[in-house]
Amino acid sequence: MIKNAFAYVTRKSLKSLIIMLVILSMSILSFISLSLKDATDRASKETLANITNSFSMEINRQVNPGTPRGGGNVKGEDIKKISQTDSIDSYVKRINSVADLVDYDIIETQETLANQSPERAKNFKRTVMLTGVNDSSKETKFVSEAYKLVEGKHLENEDKNKILMHKDLAKKNNLKVGDKIKLKSNLFDADNEKGADETVEVEIKGLFDGHNSGGVSAAQELYENTLITDVHTAAKVYGNTEDTAVYQDATFFVKGDKNLDSVIKDLGKLDINWREYNLIKSSSNYPALQQSISGIYSISNKLFVGSLIFAGIVVSLLLFLWMNARKKEIAVLLSLGISKLEIFGQFLIEMVFISIPAFVGSYFLAQYTADKLGNNILNKVTGDIAKQIARQAASSQLGGGAEAEGFNKTLSSLDINVLPKFIIYVVIFMSLVLLVSLIISSFDILRRNPKELLIDNN
């Protein structure tokens, strides 16, 4: 049987080659789809590592308008109450404030210069935005990768009078890690309600990078003109301490053995005026990221299923033609007393001989095509999302700051590898498809007797 099967495959080399090429191409697509899903799994776990089991505390703007400038005014005592519950592993609290650089210049562009009035140019000539945070590595803009630390170290809870500066702002002013600068309260800032006139000397602990992807209307919206500071510094320029300051928001990281939904529900029992706040799952702050991940999953699933269905249909049609041309051969074999099961077994072995080189070849060919095709799919998905975001931004006139662009973060790249374990999945699923195709194509012929096959000219 094996000898006959091998002889037929080699004798009908063209037919065998056509079927092998179909199996080869569809197996390559199956390998690519599995590799794409695996790469997306790893990328999503890495990207969402800090946000899947956390939630943010923000003001409820329906009843709480926030600060005069529209910032958050979350009370420090309320943050403390949540942080002290057993379910919370760690937390990050943020203060947004404004200060002036003393004896140093900010970065301006033609766009920002064109948009500012003489009064604004005078009052905010050296003004930078401050984001005070107790752990900069978990700050939203670093998590979303809108900012990336390129030199030095992140700010920690124990830091005082320390900042992270944008590398371009440091370059403009000939500053480096370890240098000290002075920050002064801006008396024209609406959020400086106490009229504080403080001067704080701070040390540059690190430099970060990142650039606006959209347009800005003011110099303070530029990434380059934002300083990440410790909480003490951001509070002091408004005449506050860490305890008396109001916070933009806070993000709480739940312990690994706790259910996020249950924790949020239980917090409702705390003595906090919940009417003023909203608790939001951090994953909800990255809708574009979630959309890009689900989009790639969807395409990879369709690619895998589609390759199996296409292979099944094409191979079935080819086998129908193959079987039709073998009616006399099958009739002779039946006449010689060879059972239908044995004849089907020969067909099965023939498919094995054709499939083995196709499976082996597809594994190695997929190694060369998976990365390029996979990232083309990623670019297509993220490109569509970017266009959708651009349309929404244009219609709603959204700003161009790092907060908004972090909100629009998508997967940027995929590390695609065709793993040996995928061979098992491809062989199993593709073999099942080929077996079904073989049964369908041979069923009609094998149920006939030799006489019917010999007189059938169709």
Side-chain angles (χ1 to χ4, degrees):
M1 187 185 299
I2 295 175
K3 184 178 179 181
N4 290 340
F6 182 76
Y8 188 85
V9 169
T10 53
R11 187 170 71 250
K12 301 291 183 179
S13 57
L14 181 59
K15 292 181 178 179
S16 301
L17 180 62
I18 292 172
I19 294 177
M20 186 181 74
L21 289 175
V22 172
I23 298 172
L24 175 72
S25 58
M26 293 303 102
S27 296
I28 289 174
L29 291 179
S30 296
F31 274 117
I32 291 174
S33 64
L34 291 173
S35 302
L36 190 57
K37 287 186 71 174
D38 175 70
T40 306
D41 276 337
R42 286 184 283 108
S44 62
K45 287 177 182 177
E46 180 180 340
T47 307
L48 296 171
N50 286 328
I51 61 177
T52 50
N53 208 35
S54 62
F55 63 92
S56 297
M57 182 183 191
E58 302 175 358
I59 61 171
N60 178 8
R61 294 190 178 276
Q62 291 183 342
V63 297
N64 183 359
T67 66
R69 194 157 39 83
N73 59 358
V74 179
K75 296 176 182 177
E77 60 189 75
D78 292 335
I79 294 175
K80 189 173 183 179
K81 289 176 184 177
I82 296 176
S83 68
Q84 291 176 340
T85 60
D86 294 336
S87 302
I88 303 302
D89 181 59
S90 60
Y91 69 101
V92 175
K93 54 185 179 180
R94 297 193 306 166
I95 298 176
N96 282 353
S97 53
V98 166
D100 291 336
L101 298 177
V102 177
D103 298 328
Y104 293 106
D105 296 320
I106 64 172
I107 289 179
E108 295 274 12
T109 66
Q110 290 183 345
E111 186 180 14
T112 61
L113 288 171
N115 288 332
Q116 69 179 355
S117 64
E119 183 183 6
R120 183 175 179 82
K122 177 184 176 182
N123 295 340
F124 299 98
K125 182 179 179 180
R126 293 180 171 175
T127 303
V128 292
M129 303 297 293
L130 306 185
T131 298
V133 63
N134 59 321
D135 183 352
S136 62
S137 66
K138 294 181 179 179
E139 200 275 333
T140 304
K141 294 180 286 293
F142 282 101
V143 173
S144 70
E145 297 182 352
Y147 294 165
K148 292 182 180 179
L149 189 71
V150 294
E151 188 178 340
K153 296 180 179 180
H154 272 292
L155 299 179
E156 299 173 340
N157 192 51
E158 297 77 20
D159 285 325
K160 191 173 183 179
N161 297 336
K162 300 287 176 68
I163 66 167
L164 302 181
M165 178 179 284
H166 195 284
K167 69 181 187 67
D168 291 347
L169 183 61
K171 183 178 180 181
K172 178 181 176 70
N173 292 290
N174 296 313
L175 294 168
K176 62 184 183 301
V177 173
D179 287 348
K180 293 184 178 181
I181 65 170
K182 290 182 179 179
L183 301 175
K184 183 177 175 59
S185 305
N186 185 297
L187 296 173
F188 302 97
D189 175 28
D191 278 357
N192 187 3
E193 296 182 90
K194 293 182 178 181
D197 191 14
E198 301 280 351
T199 299
V200 186
E201 185 177 60
V202 294
E203 179 184 339
I204 301 173
K205 187 178 181 182
L207 301 177
F208 65 90
D209 196 11
H211 300 278
N212 302 70
S213 60
V216 299
S217 58
Q220 286 69 37
E221 291 180 4
L222 292 170
Y223 290 14
E224 291 86 344
N225 294 326
T226 294
L227 302 182
I228 309 298
T229 78
D230 60 274
V231 172
H232 166 79
T233 299
K236 189 172 182 181
V237 295
Y238 281 170
N240 295 316
T241 65
E242 184 175 347
D243 293 328
T244 61
V246 293
Y247 291 81
Q248 173 69 21
D249 53 33
T251 300
F252 300 89
F253 300 88
V254 176
K255 292 179 180 178
D257 60 341
K258 303 294 183 180
N259 178 271
L260 182 60
D261 292 318
S262 299
V263 170
I264 292 176
K265 184 179 179 180
D266 290 342
L267 291 176
K269 302 172 184 177
L270 294 178
D271 183 21
I272 294 175
N273 183 4
W274 289 113
R275 188 169 176 269
E276 293 188 355
Y277 304 119
N278 289 322
L279 296 183
I280 303 169
K281 292 182 182 179
S282 296
S283 56
S284 301
N285 290 328
Y286 299 88
L289 179 60
Q290 300 282 6
Q291 192 176 347
S292 65
I293 291 171
S294 61
I296 297 170
Y297 276 141
S298 176
I299 290 177
S300 58
N301 285 333
K302 290 176 182 177
L303 188 64
F304 184 72
V305 175
S307 63
L308 294 179
I309 293 174
F310 185 80
I313 293 173
V314 174
V315 171
S316 293
L317 292 173
L318 292 173
L319 289 177
F320 269 122
L321 297 174
W322 197 352
M323 295 298 172
N324 196 54
R326 300 178 70 175
K327 287 180 180 178
K328 290 184 180 180
E329 176 194 347
I330 295 170
V332 171
L333 292 174
L334 290 172
S335 299
L336 292 174
I338 298 175
S339 69
K340 293 180 180 180
L341 186 61
E342 287 179 298
I343 295 172
F344 182 80
Q346 179 180 322
F347 295 159
L348 198 58
I349 295 172
E350 290 170 5
M351 287 301 300
V352 171
F353 283 138
I354 295 172
S355 300
I356 288 175
F359 289 145
V360 174
S362 65
Y363 173 73
F364 291 104
L365 288 173
Q367 304 268 9
Y368 295 99
T369 56
D371 186 67
K372 186 174 182 180
L373 181 59
N375 278 291
N376 283 340
I377 292 173
L378 173 63
N379 292 335
K380 175 66 170 62
V381 170
T382 55
D384 290 344
I385 294 171
K387 290 177 183 177
Q388 180 183 345
I389 290 171
R391 288 194 299 269
Q392 293 172 345
S395 62
S396 59
Q397 298 181 334
L398 291 175
E403 297 284 355
E405 290 174 23
F407 184 82
N408 298 332
K409 172 183 170 60
T410 62
L411 286 181
S412 56
S413 64
L414 292 174
D415 180 21
I416 300 175
N417 297 307
V418 182
L419 303 178
K421 68 178 182 180
F422 296 156
I423 296 176
I424 299 173
Y425 301 130
V426 172
V427 169
I428 290 175
F429 285 104
M430 196 62 73
S431 296
L432 287 173
V433 169
L434 295 176
L435 178 61
V436 172
S437 299
L438 186 60
I439 292 172
I440 293 172
S441 60
S442 62
F443 178 77
D444 184 62
I445 289 179
L446 289 179
R447 70 182 180 84
R448 302 186 191 182
N449 58 49
K451 185 177 179 180
E452 289 176 324
L453 291 172
L454 289 171
I455 64 175
D456 187 358
N457 294 320
N458 294 326

